[in-house]
Amino acid sequence: MERVLADDMPALVNGMKRELDAVTAVLSTRWSSGQVEGQVTRTKLIKRMGYGRANIDLLRRRILSSP
């Protein structure tokens, strides 16, 4: 964090100062949102594959039946 704050990139420095609590939490905890992000990515992929020809019922069945 010290290297970023000392760097000559004002947008990065300002963003890091604004989100300091979030950055600190990410660097100091073991928790990760990777599993959730993976499920969201998979759901979006299934949704894109059925774009224009699937309704919500078919989308739901495909999401629940996919591995």
Side-chain angles (χ1 to χ4, degrees):
M1 286 180 34
E2 290 172 1
R3 286 192 298 180
V4 172
L5 293 174
D7 205 344
D8 189 28
M9 298 177 69
L12 183 60
V13 172
N14 291 336
M16 190 165 172
K17 285 180 181 177
R18 188 174 49 249
E19 300 293 335
L20 188 59
D21 290 336
V23 172
T24 304
V26 166
L27 296 174
S28 64
T29 61
R30 301 182 313 129
W31 299 101
S32 169
S33 62
Q35 182 67 29
V36 174
E37 292 299 328
Q39 296 297 329
V40 169
T41 301
R42 182 179 64 88
T43 302
K44 287 181 179 182
L45 174 66
I46 293 170
K47 183 179 175 184
R48 281 192 300 270
M49 289 188 323
Y51 182 76
R53 56 181 181 258
N55 61 15
I56 192 70
D57 296 326
L58 179 60
L59 177 63
R60 183 170 191 256
R61 276 189 269 144
R62 288 188 70 183
I63 289 172
L64 293 176
S65 66
S66 69

